Amino acid sequence: MSQVMKIAIVDDEQDMRQSISQWLALSGFDTETFPSAEDALVKIGTDYPGIVISDIKMPGMGGMGLLKKLMGSDSSLPVIMITGHGDVPIAVEAMRLGAFDFLEKPFNPDKMTEIARKALNQRRMVLDNRALRRELSDGAGLMSKIIGTGPDMTRLKEDILDLGQADGHVMIDGETGTGKTLTAHALHAVGSRAGRKFVLVSCSAYDEDSLTKRLFGPMQPEDIQLPAVEEARGGTLVLEDIETLSDAVQARLLSFINEQGTPGETRIIGICNMQEQGKTVEDALRNDLFYRLAALRITLPPLRNRGEDILTLFNRHAEQFADEYGCDAPEPSAQEAAQLLQAPWPGNVRQLINVAERAVLQSRRGSGTIASLLMADNDDLRPVVTTEGKPLKEYVEAFERMLIDNTMRRHKGSIASVMEELCLPRRTLNEKMAKYGLQRADYL
């Protein structure tokens, strides 16, 4: 969820500060005011969650000095300068130094609001992109997004850590929505290439000629983007929908791999989406290319086979959406928990995330059930709990784990509060938490 954005107003005149702040507040913005540039610099630094509106002429450090300091610490921070009548040359100089825009007194408040809104939108995009880049370069952060404690996910995490340290190319396959692209990011982030380029190309988004140019060039004078094999040099090149490559592009790719030698300077990760079609990537690629790319291989498990991880995933995403929408997360009933476990999930984790968001939205309205969402998504899902070959004990244990997990999160790890709500003696609660791998420290 994006953080709340602010507008910092810097002006030595109290009346001006207050009038700008009041107008922007009425327009729906969060503001904070500073009587001097020196005071503002104490609070405003790199990654400041907002923008700055500053007067140019102030005692002590003026607006131009403030602008230079701010640009020195974060050159993408939008700073809007307020100038007096006749100070346009100074405003032009401010723009040259990196100011976002300027307003000449007396200015139109509506124009100020419009400029501020544009600046905030730009700032939000910059901060979100920075956060994403940090996340993608942080192996621990990415691994934490791979949620699940079942045997399939435990093995997947081990494979990512092992294969991330290897030099060979990797093939990732699995059904749509299982998290193949996230896995590719994680492989890059935990390996020796983590600080280098990560380039992702969706092969199905191009026709053959355009894909050949995107991957191998040649560049034209008007091109602003390097061919992918050059852009990713020394890092990781990810090819999504690799099964769609034509014979000619496969031949070029094989030549590129062979020219690199062993180990390759650039690691190639192929992502295949053929499982749901009843075919495999071996059917789509020439043998010599397949065996070069699939030296290391990861197959992601479908969600329907992941047992109680389904409930863990649903709860985590429901909590995130509840926080975003400012409401309580819905708690599945025993029957709904069983239906979550037995749903076919053709869209896998991506579908589950959509269901979790819709469950939060309808819970906020006070209508609807999780079961109704599952029925809408899966025509063949029956509204009654059936075992379909699974023992009742599996459903009971999964629901019990979910209930304890939810209650621990709600009470932030307070054992006494959880014991009281669930009517469990401490020894029983401790035994069940140990059984389900729940640690109090994770909820504090």
Side-chain angles (χ1 to χ4, degrees):
M1 184 179 66
S2 298
Q3 55 191 318
V4 175
M5 303 295 283
K6 299 178 180 179
I7 299 178
I9 301 159
V10 188
D11 199 306
D12 62 303
E13 295 182 15
Q14 183 178 0
D15 290 346
M16 180 63 74
R17 288 198 308 273
Q18 289 181 344
S19 63
I20 293 175
S21 177
Q22 288 172 1
W23 176 260
L24 291 173
L26 288 172
S27 300
F29 300 112
D30 286 334
T31 65
E32 54 183 343
T33 60
F34 301 94
S36 69
E38 292 83 357
D39 288 334
L41 286 171
V42 173
K43 183 73 177 290
I44 303 170
T46 304
D47 289 335
Y48 175 71
I51 66 171
V52 178
I53 297 178
S54 174
D55 194 8
I56 281 187
K57 292 187 176 180
M58 296 183 290
M61 182 186 292
M64 295 294 282
L66 174 62
L67 175 64
K68 291 176 183 178
K69 289 279 189 181
L70 293 175
M71 292 298 98
S73 63
D74 189 345
S75 61
S76 65
L77 174 65
V79 180
I80 300 167
M81 309 300 293
I82 298 176
T83 71
H85 182 66
D87 288 336
V88 173
I90 299 177
V92 172
E93 174 65 10
M95 297 287 286
R96 188 185 68 80
L97 292 173
F100 182 82
D101 208 335
F102 70 92
L103 291 163
E104 185 179 3
K105 296 177 183 176
F107 53 82
N108 184 330
D110 290 325
K111 182 180 180 182
M112 177 181 63
T113 301
E114 180 185 352
I115 294 174
R117 182 171 286 110
K118 289 180 181 177
L120 282 168
N121 287 337
Q122 175 178 301
R123 183 60 171 171
R124 183 177 288 107
M125 289 178 62
V126 167
L127 293 180
D128 286 348
N129 286 336
R130 281 183 189 171
L132 179 60
R133 284 198 300 271
R134 282 194 291 265
E135 186 176 280
L136 296 183
S137 65
D138 177 8
L142 273 170
M143 291 298 284
S144 70
K145 288 182 172 292
I146 301 175
I147 299 170
T149 57
D152 285 341
M153 297 310 290
T154 299
R155 185 165 53 252
L156 173 62
K157 292 174 187 177
E158 291 172 350
D159 285 346
I160 289 172
L161 293 172
D162 290 341
L163 272 58
Q165 299 299 317
D167 283 321
H169 306 305
V170 183
M171 184 69 72
I172 303 174
D173 61 353
E175 296 179 9
T176 298
T178 49
K180 296 185 290 295
T181 302
L182 175 62
T183 301
H185 278 297
L187 279 169
H188 175 78
V190 301
S192 59
R193 293 175 171 83
R196 302 180 185 177
K197 290 286 288 185
F198 178 95
V199 178
L200 188 148
V201 177
S202 176
C203 300
S204 61
Y206 299 86
D207 58 41
E208 182 177 333
D209 291 341
S210 299
L211 180 60
T212 301
K213 180 182 177 183
R214 173 69 185 99
L215 291 176
F216 308 107
M219 290 184 66
Q220 302 299 323
E222 66 272 14
D223 291 337
I224 60 174
Q225 191 174 37
L226 288 171
V229 294
E230 292 297 327
E231 187 182 357
R233 185 173 295 278
T236 302
L237 172 61
V238 180
L239 302 176
E240 281 188 328
D241 304 316
I242 195 169
E243 71 277 4
T244 64
L245 294 182
S246 68
D247 291 341
V249 177
Q250 288 186 46
R252 287 288 301 272
L253 181 59
L254 181 63
S255 296
F256 170 74
I257 293 172
N258 290 335
E259 289 166 5
Q260 286 198 101
T262 304
E265 180 185 11
T266 303
R267 169 178 249 184
I268 297 175
I269 299 178
I271 295 179
C272 173
N273 289 298
M274 294 190 69
Q275 278 199 359
E276 57 265 37
Q277 302 169 21
K279 298 180 180 179
T280 65
V281 68
E282 293 98 319
D283 300 322
L285 298 183
R286 49 189 289 172
N287 287 341
D288 45 5
L289 177 61
F290 170 76
Y291 288 114
R292 293 302 300 272
L293 290 178
L296 305 171
R297 191 169 184 179
I298 293 178
T299 300
L300 271 68
L303 182 60
R304 60 184 172 276
N305 292 345
R306 289 178 52 185
E308 67 182 39
D309 281 352
I310 295 170
L311 298 182
T312 302
L313 279 163
F314 178 85
N315 286 327
R316 296 289 172 83
H317 288 295
E319 287 172 1
Q320 291 171 5
F321 286 121
D323 181 55
E324 182 174 342
Y325 291 118
C327 61
D328 293 330
E331 292 193 11
S333 65
Q335 179 165 338
E336 288 173 330
Q339 287 180 313
L340 284 165
L341 288 169
Q342 72 181 30
W345 297 113
N348 291 290
V349 177
R350 195 174 300 154
Q351 180 188 3
L352 180 141
I353 293 172
N354 292 337
V355 170
E357 181 173 18
R358 285 152 54 199
V360 168
L361 289 172
Q362 71 177 14
S363 176
R364 186 175 65 165
R365 293 194 304 267
S367 62
T369 63
I370 295 170
S372 65
L373 294 175
L374 290 172
M375 292 290 290
D377 267 14
N378 303 283
D379 294 336
D380 60 341
L381 183 69
R382 290 173 287 281
V384 296
V385 177
T386 62
T387 60
E388 295 184 357
K390 295 181 181 179
L392 178 62
K393 182 172 180 285
E394 181 178 333
Y395 288 126
V396 172
E397 289 182 348
F399 179 70
E400 191 172 63
R401 184 189 189 283
M402 179 195 73
L403 199 59
I404 296 173
D405 180 52
N406 283 349
T407 311
M408 288 290 290
R409 287 184 184 282
R410 192 166 53 252
H411 291 296
K412 296 180 171 56
S414 171
I415 295 295
S417 300
V418 174
M419 289 166 52
E420 181 180 358
E421 180 172 333
L422 298 181
C423 301
L424 287 174
R426 187 179 188 107
R427 179 177 177 181
T428 304
L429 178 59
N430 288 342
E431 289 174 348
K432 290 185 180 296
M433 289 182 65
K435 175 182 178 181
Y436 299 129
L438 302 175
Q439 303 284 338
R440 179 174 179 267
D442 294 336
Y443 303 98
L444 299 177

